[in-house]
C-alpha cells in the first residue's frame, strides 16, 4: 500500500524536522505499519514502523539479510558502491555482512567492547569527561555544545582505543561527517557519487597505511587486533580490514555525539527531569537509556528478504527490502507508556536504538559508559542552563542528530 506519509523516510529534510517526521510515523503506526515507498532517487522499499515488527525482522537474520542493501542510499549510490565492491575497492563493514562471515569478522573486535575491557577503560573515560566539562567551564558562559564538546569527547575515546595519534583525530572527524552527513549541505563533500566515493577512498588510504604499520609492529591496541585478525586461519582481506576500521572509527563517535547533545537538549527542555537527576544521581543509568531512546541517532537500517514472506499480512517478495524505522519503534505507544514524555527514570525501556539480534551494536556498552561518565561529571557542577539560540538538526537519512546546540550556562 502506498501512503504519502511514508515518503518522509525518503526525504532527508524530514529528518531535520522532528514534528513532521513524528507526525508521519504516528500515522503510519496506526494506519499503515508496513508502507510501500517508491520515491526517487531511492529504490522502492517497505517502511516498517512498529516496534514488534522491527524486532521480528531483526531476529530472523536468515530470512532478512543485510546484503545487498544494508542502509538507505540513492539507487545511483547503491549501484556505484556495488561496482566498487566488485572491483575490490568498496566498503564491506559488519553492517553489510551476513552469517557465517559476519559472525567470524565480528569476533575479531568483540573482546575490546566486553565489560571487562570497558572496566579497564573507565578511569581513562572519567578523566576525559572531566577534561571536557572543565573545558566547558573555561569557554563559558556560552558555547555550541555540539561543536565544542559533544563531538570531541566520544571521538577522543574511540580514537584512543584504536590507538591513533591525536593529530589525526580532526581528519577522522571530518571524514565521518562527510560519510554520515552525505545528505546535509553543511557536512557533505559534494553531491556527486564520485565525491562521496572520494571520502571513502580517503578513509581507505589512511587505514591501509595503518594496517601495514600494525602488521609490521603490533602495538597492543584495537588497530593492531584488527590488522592482525584472522578468519579460518587466513588474514582478513584488505577490504574487510579497512572496512572494520571505518565502521569502528565512524560508528564509534558520531552516534554517541548525537545521543549526548540530544540528551542535553532534552534536559534543557524538561527542567523538571534535570532537577530530578540532580537530586537522584542514581538515576543516571535510566536517564542515559532514555536519552538514547529519545534521540535514536541511527535512524534506520535495511534488510532484504531472502525468500517470499509476509509482514503483518503484507506480502513481501524475495529480493524486496524493508526499512527499519528505529525512530518510530522507539515512540511506539504499544510498547512505551507516554512515548513522547522524556522520563529519566523510565523503566523498563526496551528501545531499539542499538538495534537487535546478531548485529546489535558492538559499542553499546561503551556508548553507555561514556554518556554516564560525562553526565555524572556535568550535572553536579551545573548551575543554570538555557538555549542561547535555536538547536539545529542535520538533514541525514542514516545517522543524525544536532549539528548545533547553542547554550548559555554557569558551571562550578
Ligand atoms: C551497529 C547504534 C555507538 C560500533 C549498530 C547498530 C545500531 C547502532 C542501530 C545496528 C544494529 C542492528 O542492525 O541491529 C548505535 C548508537 C550508538 C552507537 C545509537 C550511540 C549512542 C557505537 C559505538 C561503537 C559502535 C561507541 C564503537 C565501536 C558499532 C558497530 C556496529 C554497530 C561496529 C556493527 C555491528 C554488527 O553489524 O555486527 N550501532 N551505536 N556503535 N555499532 Fe553502534
Amino acid at each position: 500500500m502506498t501512503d504519502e506519509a511514508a515518503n518522509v523516510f525518503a526525504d532527508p529534510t524530514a529528518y531535520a524536522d522532528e514534528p513532521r517526521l513524528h507526525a508521519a510515523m504516528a500515522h503510519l503506526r496506526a494506519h499503515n505499519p508496513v508502507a510501500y515507498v517508491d520515491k526517487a532517487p531511492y529504490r522502492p522499499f517497505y517502511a516498517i514502523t512498529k516496534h514488534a515488527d522491527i524486532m521480528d525482522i531483526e531476529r530472523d537474520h536468515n530470512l532478512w539479510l543485510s546484503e545487498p542493501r544494508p542502509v538507505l542510499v540513492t539507487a545511483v549510490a547503491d549501484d556505484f558502491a556495488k561496482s566498487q565492491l566488485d572491483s575490490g575497492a568498496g566498503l564491506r563493514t559488519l553492517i553489510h555482512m551476513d552469517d557465517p562471515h559476519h559472525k567470524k569478522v565480528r569476533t575479531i573486535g568483540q573482546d575490546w567492547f566486553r565489560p571487562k575491557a570497558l572496566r579497564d577503560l573507565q578511569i581513562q573515560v572519567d578523566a576525559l569527561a572531566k577534561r571536557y566539562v572543565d573545558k566547558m567551564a573555561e569557554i563559558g558562559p556560552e558555547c555550541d555544545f555540539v561543536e565544542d564538546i559533544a563531538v570531541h569527547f566520544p571521538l577522543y575515546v574511540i580514537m584512543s582505543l584504536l590507538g591513533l595519534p591525536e593529530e589525526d583525530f580532526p581528519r577522522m572527524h571530518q571524514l565521518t561527517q562527510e560519510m554520515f552527513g552525505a545528505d546535509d549541505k553543511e557536512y557533505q563533500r559534494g553531491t556527486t557519487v564520485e565525491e562521496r566515493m572520494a571520502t571513502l577512498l580517503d578513509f581507505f588510504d589512511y587505514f591501509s597505511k595503518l594496517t601495514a604499520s600494525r602488521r609490521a609492529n603490533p602495538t597492543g591496541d584495537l588497530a593492531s587486533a584488527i590488522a592482525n585478525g584472522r578468519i579460518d586461519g587466513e588474514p582478513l582481506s584488505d577490504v574487510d580490514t579497512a572496512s572494520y576500521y571505518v565502521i569502528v572509527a565512524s560508528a564509534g563517535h558520531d552516534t554517541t555525539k548525537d545521543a549526548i547533545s540530544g540528551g542535553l537538549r532534552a534536559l534543557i527542555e524538561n527542567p523538571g527531569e534535570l532537577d530530578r537527576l540532580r537530586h537522584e544521581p542514581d538515576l543516571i543509568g535510566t536517564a542515559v537509556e532514555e536519552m538514547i531512546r529519545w534521540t535514536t541517532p541511527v535512524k534506520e537500517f535495511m534488510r532484504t528478504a531472502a525468500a517470499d514472506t509476509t509482514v503483518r499480512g503484507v506480502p513481501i517478495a524475495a529480493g524486496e527490502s524493508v526499512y527499519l524505522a528505529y525512530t518510530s519503534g522507539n515512540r511506539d505507544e504499544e510498547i512505551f507508556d507516554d512515548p513522547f514524555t522524556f522520563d529519566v527514570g523510565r523503566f523498563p525501556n526496551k528501545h531499539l536504538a542499538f538495534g537487535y539480534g546478531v548485529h546489535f551494536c558492538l559499542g553499546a556498552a561503551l556508548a553507555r559508559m561514556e554518556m554516564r561518565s560525562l553526565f555524572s561529571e556535568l550535572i553536579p557542577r551545573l548551575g543554570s542552563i538555557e538555549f542561547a539560540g535555536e538547536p539545529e538538526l542535520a538533514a541525514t537519512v542514516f545517522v543524525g542528530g544536532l549539528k548545533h546546540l547553542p547554550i548559555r550556562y554557569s558551571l562550578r
Side-chain angles (χ1 to χ4, degrees), residues 223-283:
S224 302
I226 295 171
N228 295 289
R230 290 183 164 261
I231 292 192
D232 302 331
E234 295 296 317
L236 266 190
S237 70
D238 289 347
V239 166
D240 282 359
T241 312
S243 299
Y244 216 126
Y245 290 131
V246 172
I247 186 77
V248 170
S250 55
H253 68 91
D254 215 42
T255 48
T256 316
K257 164 213 108 191
D258 293 330
I260 289 172
S261 50
L264 185 65
R265 176 191 181 179
L267 289 175
I268 299 173
E269 284 173 343
N270 298 275
E273 293 304 289
L274 175 57
D275 269 351
R276 222 175 134 200
L277 202 47
R278 274 194 178 110
H279 293 113
E280 292 178 70
D282 287 351
L283 288 180

Side-chain angles (χ1 to χ4, degrees), residues 146-147 151 172-182 186-188 203 253-254 257:
V146 177
E147 294 269 311
V151 157
M172 286 299 110
H173 169 50
Q174 187 202 342
L175 290 174
T176 301
Q177 272 193 340
E178 286 177 15
M179 188 168 75
F180 285 157
E186 193 175 329
Y187 290 156
Q188 65 194 193
F203 258 130
H253 68 91
D254 215 42
K257 164 213 108 191

Side-chain angles (χ1 to χ4, degrees), residues 58 66 93-97 102 106 113 158 161 222 244 247-249 251-253 255-257 259 292 296-298 300-301 303 324 326 352-364 366-368 370-371:
E58 291 225 51
S66 294
T93 74
L94 286 173
I95 63 158
H96 297 76
M97 295 173 187
H102 167 260
R106 185 169 161 121
F113 300 96
I158 196 67
L161 196 65
L222 176 56
Y244 216 126
I247 186 77
V248 170
H253 68 91
T255 48
T256 316
K257 164 213 108 191
I292 296 169
T296 311
V298 178
E300 49 99 7
F301 268 105
R303 297 290 188 267
L324 308 176
Y326 294 130
L352 293 169
F354 290 122
Y356 183 71
V358 294
H359 286 277
F360 181 80
C361 175
L362 191 65
L366 176 62
R368 287 172 169 138
E370 290 177 38
M371 291 180 66

Side-chain angles (χ1 to χ4, degrees), residues 130-140 148-149 152 409:
K130 179 166 182 326
R131 173 169 149 184
Y132 281 104
V133 177
D134 286 347
K135 181 180 169 195
M136 240 179 113
E138 224 174 270
I139 61 176
D148 296 326
I149 306 295
H152 303 284
Y409 53 92

